[in-house]
Amino acid sequence: MRVLCVSSSRSDVGIWRSIWAALAASGGVSLHVALTGAHSDREEERGSALSAIPASARVHAVDGSISGATPAEVAKGMALIHGNMARLLEEVVPDIVLVVGDRLDLLPAVSATLPFNLPIGHVHGGELSYGAVDDRIRHSISKLAHLHFVSGADAALRLSRMGEQPDRIFVVGAPGLDHLAATAPIEREAFLGAVGGLEDGSIRLVTVHPETNSERPLMPMEAILDALDALPGPTLLTASNEDLGGATINARLRDFASTRRWVRFVPTLGPGLYPNALRHAAVMIGNSSSGLIEAGYFGLPVVNVGSRQDGRLRGANVRDVPSRAHDIAAAASACLGMRFDPAVVSMYGDGRAAPRLVERLLAVTNLADLRSKEFNVRDVQFAAPWYPAHARERANMVGAGP
């Protein structure tokens, strides 16, 4: 089976890492990886991806970036990805294309497959994030896809209600947790040195992206910086993504860190440092999906700011606040000293998603049969496999109808 995976930024590399490893180890897969989007113009992002891709895989560059400063420039970047992806598909002729999530740069990569009538496998479909255009992109990709590997029973139900066939929807968990589970701990002193000599104390880990469905997409960033200034303390800032406005946020974060000795700005923490940042931080602040998906694996308290992640499943470790400095500062202060039981607040699996995904993929005997899709109208029920059978109905089973 020739599998082509599409990666567009550092944010999806953490998800892909375990999937790529499982595909490469399966023995039945010829693995190809297309790097596009942020990998096209950010060396640190491309390097992060290259370090995660198994040596046996073939890597392909699909030039095209959505880091433009205007909507027109972003649209032109999407068109470039579309054309370059078409050329790659003609060269590789994959049996199936796998994609993750909801990024603007993924939409042209997926739409380019349509003239080739290729099966699409979609990871992390069925979720909600009302405060970003990603929400619409995710659902669009789901409707173009033929297989769905989802993070939880709620997402599976949502896809079936969108008409996707239940026997093509597999609850596997969030693959990003697989990497967290496998990453070796780094001692606190070594971690502080690795992120630029950050002073010890109650570390605030901050990741903020534009709120792309808002009239003021940078408001969460402005409020967060004001809140941090109100309560100075060890703070680790990581870069925004390539959404429109992301470059402006990154410039502001760099300036903020350059004038405050208690702040460090690290564009990307990478596969070793990021899990340990979640391990050593006292609180995470921002509006990244990582706060809802990965942070719970370590029981880390999260202050989720604004509406970007509205609709996404979250554990009791997450506090939702508006984009107001006072509310953010108060919530962050209240979180200090707290830690949650990961078994209770981690809503997205047990760190074994990739093996489940690959097992389901390789069980498909004829990928060509996937091209014919039917519209589901049945009421269905899904359960997360990481819960004991007796606990599924109480903990993570959802359904519709009698």
Side-chain angles (χ1 to χ4, degrees):
M1 182 186 296
R2 187 178 295 114
V3 179
L4 174 63
C5 302
V6 183
S7 172
S8 68
S9 70
R10 77 178 191 277
S11 61
D12 68 39
V13 170
I15 299 169
W16 277 124
R17 182 179 295 270
S18 61
I19 300 173
W20 288 336
L23 287 169
S26 69
V29 169
S30 172
L31 177 60
H32 294 252
V33 178
L35 299 181
T36 190
H39 298 309
S40 298
D41 60 2
R42 292 187 184 180
E43 185 176 347
E44 68 272 13
E45 303 239 357
R46 184 168 58 254
S48 175
L50 291 172
S51 69
I53 298 171
S56 60
R58 286 193 58 190
V59 181
H60 310 269
V62 177
D63 289 339
S65 169
I66 61 165
S67 61
T70 68
E73 290 172 344
V74 171
K76 290 174 184 177
M78 293 174 68
L80 185 60
I81 293 171
H82 190 281
N84 288 330
M85 184 69 180
R87 283 187 281 275
L88 177 61
L89 294 171
E90 194 171 37
E91 173 192 336
V92 174
V93 194
D95 295 305
I96 188 167
V97 178
L98 294 184
V99 297
V100 167
D102 46 33
R103 299 274 300 143
L104 265 175
D105 36 25
L106 284 177
L107 195 56
V110 173
S111 65
T113 70
L114 293 175
F116 298 87
N117 200 19
L118 292 171
I120 300 292
H122 188 202
V123 183
H124 270 295
E127 298 174 16
L128 300 174
S129 54
Y130 294 137
V133 296
D134 300 6
D135 198 61
R136 284 169 273 161
I137 298 166
R138 186 187 310 109
H139 297 328
S140 298
I141 293 175
S142 289
K143 292 308 298 181
L144 294 172
H146 305 81
L147 290 175
H148 307 277
F149 305 102
V150 302
S151 62
D154 65 315
L157 175 61
R158 210 167 281 120
L159 286 175
S160 73
R161 286 175 170 171
M162 290 168 59
E164 297 303 293
Q165 295 168 234
D167 60 348
R168 297 186 181 192
I169 304 171
F170 306 108
V171 182
V172 299
L177 299 189
D178 295 27
H179 174 61
L180 299 184
T183 301
I186 298 175
E187 293 297 327
R188 188 175 182 88
E189 185 176 351
F191 172 77
L192 294 172
V195 295
L198 184 68
E199 65 183 46
D200 203 357
S202 297
I203 300 170
R204 288 93 61 92
L205 175 63
V206 179
T207 302
V208 59
H209 305 304
E211 204 170 78
T212 52
N213 235 15
S214 166
E215 292 183 359
R216 293 183 58 188
L218 302 186
M219 187 163 65
M221 178 267 296
E222 295 164 353
I224 288 170
L225 295 185
D226 287 344
L228 294 175
D229 257 345
L231 294 169
T235 302
L236 182 59
L237 307 176
T238 64
S240 178
N241 60 23
E242 281 210 330
D243 284 345
L244 195 64
T248 300
I249 288 178
N250 289 335
R252 290 282 303 277
L253 296 181
R254 285 190 178 92
D255 288 345
F256 187 84
S258 69
T259 57
R260 293 158 179 83
R261 61 177 179 77
W262 41 274
V263 180
R264 295 292 181 272
F265 173 73
V266 180
T268 177
L269 288 167
L273 289 178
Y274 189 68
N276 281 283
L278 297 174
R279 181 176 282 112
H280 291 299
V283 62
M284 184 175 184
I285 304 171
N287 60 4
S288 168
S289 61
S290 182
L292 280 65
I293 297 174
E294 283 92 359
Y297 189 80
F298 292 102
L300 177 66
V302 175
V303 178
N304 180 59
V305 179
S307 65
R308 183 179 173 92
Q309 301 302 332
D310 282 1
R312 196 183 290 275
L313 188 68
R314 64 206 63 204
N317 62 312
V318 179
R319 295 186 179 214
D320 296 301
V321 299
S323 295
R324 293 196 296 260
H326 172 77
D327 295 292
I328 297 167
S333 296
C335 286
L336 297 182
M338 299 180 68
R339 213 72 184 187
F340 293 82
D341 181 357
V344 175
V345 301
S346 184
M347 312 294 290
Y348 291 87
D350 57 356
R352 298 169 57 194
R356 292 189 187 104
L357 185 157
V358 173
E359 179 184 7
R360 293 294 190 176
L361 177 61
L362 295 181
V364 180
T365 55
N366 189 349
L367 287 169
D369 290 345
L370 296 175
R371 294 168 179 162
S372 177
K373 289 181 64 174
E374 297 177 359
F375 193 93
N376 171 62
V377 295
R378 295 186 291 115
D379 290 338
V380 292
Q381 192 170 64
F382 297 90
W386 51 87
Y387 283 102
H390 69 275
R392 286 178 183 170
E393 183 173 356
R394 173 179 59 81
N396 199 23
M397 176 178 279
V398 291

